[in-house]
Amino acid sequence: TSGLEGREPPDALVLREDGTLSFRGAPTDAQQYMTIHGEGPVRIVPDRNASGLRLVEVSSTLRGLGASSVILVTERALQ
């Protein structure tokens, strides 16, 4: 996470406070993201106010769709 300069990695999925997902600024869902991203590890940047239950749900869905792992990128890691 070094060198991120306060922004999410370009391949990261963003979980917003309201529970919706976005990728590169555009709304998406887990299935659409995995179609673009393909198998392998997924980085997700959750809003600090996003529901923990929603984060677990999204992570589980991503794993079910082929993500080998789900890596949480935290605010501290972005600084």
Side-chain angles (χ1 to χ4, degrees):
T1 58
S2 64
L4 293 177
E5 298 176 5
R7 61 183 186 269
E8 69 269 6
D11 64 339
L13 185 62
V14 176
L15 175 62
R16 299 182 181 274
E17 180 179 3
D18 65 2
T20 59
L21 299 170
S22 66
F23 177 61
R24 296 184 178 163
T28 192
D29 61 31
Q31 186 166 2
Q32 185 177 36
Y33 175 80
M34 289 303 293
T35 299
I36 295 166
H37 179 74
E39 294 181 1
V42 171
R43 294 180 191 196
I44 186 167
V45 179
D47 184 280
R48 74 177 334 147
N49 296 316
S51 162
L53 291 175
R54 177 68 175 140
L55 178 59
V56 171
E57 176 187 332
V58 169
S59 298
S60 177
T61 299
L62 291 167
R63 292 294 306 262
L65 292 169
S68 59
S69 62
V70 177
I71 302 163
L72 298 181
V73 180
T74 64
E75 181 179 339
R76 178 173 281 189
L78 290 173
Q79 295 179 356

